[in-house]
């Protein structure tokens, strides 16, 4: 048993590493956005300028909904996406103006924003309006505040959990109730659910790819609610929280999905705070008050270009009436929200959102934290401070948290709370039956990462793309070796990312051939394909050069080209992986992230095709083992077949 101040000392070091990571994140932001001119930012796809305002309207929560459209660089790729924080800016006049907003959606050259305010300032109407991606410091601040509280905790439940996670206090369990059986779950899933219910302090559901982690988790939540009035459910990404919310709603559970409206799936509007308010008996009154406020704002807007004394006074009066109406609306909304959060069975949110004022005084017995492998330890502590019991769900052999600072990474910042708690074997319940991959695709990851403990369900164990003598169709896995083809990697000097056009051309040729063979024999059965590369430059090259005309292959249901992180939680019938690296010194860089590679090779249901230079990647033990696995299964091929 450990003693002393080990836990607090370690967390103080985590806090130092977190500051290093924040500084590095800001440095990269500064270099990309603040130290380059406007034209370069537009070229880099991090700025839209100029933009015009297509529409604006006041929505719920005193938030202004804005639609913008860029008028230049229309075909230029960009880095804007839903959920990102941005800043509106103006180049008109001598002063610098900015207004914070969050992206609701981006489609082609149209961006929908939710502005952090109830009206646009005058400078937005003076022309020369643009939008930049914004650095978001809020998550760092919340993590630092959480660490401060945990480090300073004494004689309370936070202090006890801190010492348990450090290994200084034992983790306790009740005897699992074997009478608890959920019919739609398999043996390992039921065992995991019983394990969760028996955990007094910390429990872990270890869910490798395709094992039904989400299905098991929502059932554990459902059964927990038989003895607890309310639970808190968190995950590090909005997509993960949306999925959990959707599954819980399907079970008939009363769920509130918290979060900025821009970050919540449109399909979950009825479960969002705004959606629940809209279903309240008080909504009509709230709406009328807001309508009055909007009318007063509209009338005030008539004077935006007129600045006489009387006009200014009239404008001020209209704004005063608008704000009075909004104040009354807010009071009603606060009442409705209090009722909502008191009565809901489950509150779903990201960790940072759990600090919302509506939850400040609330305490929970249990925190369910999904996709825990992707969360920095301080991120888990943000909501855990409100709870007495922690249930972690995830797979420490899949995507780790993103850490940009090499110093912070070497210091162990990416060592998650899940990693730490996995050392306590008594806390862990493994889901061991997977429903996604054939045996051949599962086999390597099963052996390398999971000690051979996974089993394929009989519904997928022998599945192939099509039952045929065609190698393209009946073989689950292929490795296409580019060694000796002189397909040298190329590094983009600006992004420092790599691409390999030669390897890309082999991939496209193989893909074309695969689709031709499949179309010739398949009987109107659609097919989905994913193309993955660990390198963004290769992803962009493939996206630009993919020569597949989907009209020529009507059975091609979907074709997606993404980085590994983009495919987390997804699966396809066929997965292509382009490893890119090919050099004389055997340098593989990003490919050393084995957890990400595990994600990549476990996305395929029926066929996995990996392209790489064996002379380069074969120096690493992981890839050497993978090459041996492919040779053993007759999956090795040479790129010369398509060169």
């Amino acid at each position: 048993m450990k003693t002393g101040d080990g836990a607090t000392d370690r967390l103080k070091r985590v806090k130092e590493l977190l500051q290093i990571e924040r500084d590095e994140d800001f440095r990269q932001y500064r270099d990309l956005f603040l130290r380059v001119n406007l034209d370069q930012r537009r070229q880099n796809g991090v700025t839209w300028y100029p933009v015009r305002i297509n529409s604006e309207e006041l929505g719920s929560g005193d938030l202004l909904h804005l639609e913008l459209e860029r008028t230049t660089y229309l075909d230029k790729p960009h880095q804007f996406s839903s959920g990102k924080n941005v800043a509106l800016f103006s180049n008109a006049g001598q002063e610098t103006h900015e207004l914070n907003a969050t992206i609701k959606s981006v489609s082609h050259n149209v961006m929908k924003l939710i502005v952090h305010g109830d009206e646009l300032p005058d400078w937005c109407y003076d022309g020369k309006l643009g939008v930049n991606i914004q650095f978001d410091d809020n998550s760092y601040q919340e993590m630092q505040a959480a660490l401060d509280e945990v480090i300073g905790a004494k004689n309370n439940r936070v202090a006890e959990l801190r010492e348990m996670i450090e290994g200084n206090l034992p983790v306790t369990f009740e005897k699992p109730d074997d009478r608890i059986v959920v019919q739609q779950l398999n043996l390992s899933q039921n065992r995991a659910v019983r394990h969760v219910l028996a955990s007094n302090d910390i429990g872990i559901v270890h869910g490798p790819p395709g094992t039904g982690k989400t299905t098991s988790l929502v059932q554990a939540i459902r059964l927990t609610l038989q003895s607890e009035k309310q639970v808190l459910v968190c995950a590090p990404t909005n997509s993960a929280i949306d999925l959990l919310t959707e599954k819980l709603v399907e079970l008939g559970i009363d769920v509130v999905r918290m979060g900025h409206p821009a970050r919540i799936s449109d399909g979950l509007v009825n479960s969002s705070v705004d959606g629940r308010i809209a279903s309240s008996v008080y909504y009509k009154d709230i709406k009328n008050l807001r309508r009055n406020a909007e009318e007063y704002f509209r009338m005030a807007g008539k004077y935006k270009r007129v600045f006489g004394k009387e006009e200014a006074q009239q404008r001020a009066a209209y704004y005063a009436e608008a704000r009075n109406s909004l104040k009354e609306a807010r009071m009603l909304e606060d009442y409705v929200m209090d009722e909502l959060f008191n009565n809901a069975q489950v509150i779903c949110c990201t960790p940072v959102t759990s600090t919302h004022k509506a939850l400040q005084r609330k305490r929970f017995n249990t925190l369910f934290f999904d996709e825990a492998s992707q969360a920095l330890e301080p991120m888990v502590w943000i909501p855990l401070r409100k709870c007495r019991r922690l249930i972690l769900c995830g797979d420490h052999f899949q995507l780790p948290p993103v850490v940009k600072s090499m110093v912070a990474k070497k210091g162990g910042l990416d060592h998650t709370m899940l990693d730490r708690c996995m050392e306590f074997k008594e806390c862990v319940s493994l889901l061991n039956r997977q429903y996604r991959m054939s045996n051949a695709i599962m086999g390597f990851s099963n052996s390398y990462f999971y000690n051979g403990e996974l089993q394929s369900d009989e519904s997928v164990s022998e599945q192939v793309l099509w039952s045929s003598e065609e190698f393209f169709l009946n073989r689950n896995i292929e490795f296409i070796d580019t060694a000796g083809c002189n397909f040298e990697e190329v590094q983009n000097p600006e992004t420092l990312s790599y691409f390999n056009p030669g390897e890309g051309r082999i991939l496209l040729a193989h893909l074309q051939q695969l689709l031709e063979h499949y179309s010739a024999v398949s009987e109107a059965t659609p097919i989905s394909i994913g193309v993955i590369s660990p390198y963004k430059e290769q992803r962009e090259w493939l996206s630009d050069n993919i020569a597949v005309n989907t009209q020529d292959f009507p059975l091609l249901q979907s074709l997606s080209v993404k980085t590994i992180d983009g495919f987390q939680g997804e699966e396809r019938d066929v997965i292509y992986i382009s490893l890119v690296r090919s050099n004389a010194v055997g340098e593989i860089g990003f490919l050393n992230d084995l957890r990400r590679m595990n994600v990549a090779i476990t996305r395929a249901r029926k066929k996995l095709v990996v392209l790489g230079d064996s002379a380069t990647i074969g120096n690493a033990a992981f890839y050497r083992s993978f090459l041996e696995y492919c040779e053993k299964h007759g999956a090795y091929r040479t790129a010369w077949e398509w060169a």
Side-chain angles (χ1 to χ4, degrees), residues 45-62:
V46 297
T47 294
W48 281 10
Y49 178 87
V51 297
R52 63 169 176 256
I53 301 174
N54 288 341
S55 66
E56 57 178 297
E57 62 180 29
L58 193 64
S60 59
D62 304 342

Side-chain angles (χ1 to χ4, degrees), residues 457-473:
D457 188 75
E458 62 183 11
S459 63
V460 301
S461 60
E462 302 300 326
Q463 66 183 351
V464 294
L465 197 57
W466 197 261
S467 296
S468 167
E469 295 183 358
E470 290 279 354
F471 186 94
F472 276 99
L473 306 180

Side-chain angles (χ1 to χ4, degrees), residues 293-424:
E294 191 171 345
E295 178 62 19
Y296 282 121
F297 278 127
R298 187 190 64 78
M299 290 188 290
K302 293 179 179 179
Y303 299 97
K304 286 187 184 292
R305 296 183 180 278
V306 183
F307 297 97
K309 183 178 179 180
E310 293 183 6
E311 288 81 5
Q313 291 175 341
Q314 185 63 63
R315 182 185 178 190
Y318 284 142
Y319 275 135
E321 291 292 339
R323 292 189 176 96
N324 285 335
S325 293
L326 283 176
K327 183 179 179 180
E328 292 185 48
R330 289 188 194 113
M331 292 174 63
L332 271 179
E333 282 187 346
D334 289 343
Y335 174 79
V336 173
M337 286 179 65
D338 285 343
E339 291 291 305
L340 177 64
F341 287 112
N342 286 334
N343 297 328
Q345 293 176 284
V346 179
I347 295 174
C348 286
C349 60
T350 59
V352 172
T353 306
S354 71
T355 64
H356 190 279
K357 64 179 183 179
L359 300 182
Q360 280 182 354
R361 288 191 285 273
K362 290 195 71 66
R363 294 295 180 268
F364 305 86
N365 189 63
T366 305
L367 167 65
F368 291 89
F369 201 106
D370 197 16
E371 302 294 356
S373 69
Q374 300 181 51
L376 296 173
E377 181 181 357
M379 188 63 72
V380 182
W381 276 116
I382 295 174
L384 184 53
R385 296 173 295 168
K386 300 177 177 291
C387 307
R388 295 191 57 80
R389 190 171 78 111
L390 172 65
I391 305 299
L392 294 169
C393 192
D395 181 11
H396 58 308
F397 295 125
Q398 294 193 65
L399 284 187
V402 175
V403 177
K404 297 181 178 181
S405 166
M406 291 304 299
V407 173
K409 191 169 186 176
K410 289 179 179 178
L413 184 61
D414 63 344
H415 191 67
T416 67
M417 190 176 291
L418 179 64
D419 292 328
R420 186 166 297 279
C421 293
M422 286 293 295
E423 298 174 8
F424 312 139

Side-chain angles (χ1 to χ4, degrees), residues 244-256:
L244 282 169
T245 303
E246 180 183 333
K247 298 298 183 183
L248 290 166
V249 170
E250 289 175 359
L251 293 178
I253 294 171
D254 187 358
V255 184
V256 175

Side-chain angles (χ1 to χ4, degrees), residues 5 58 69 123 191 213 253:
D5 298 325
L58 193 64
E69 183 174 0
W123 55 262
R191 186 168 57 248
K213 171 175 66 65
I253 294 171

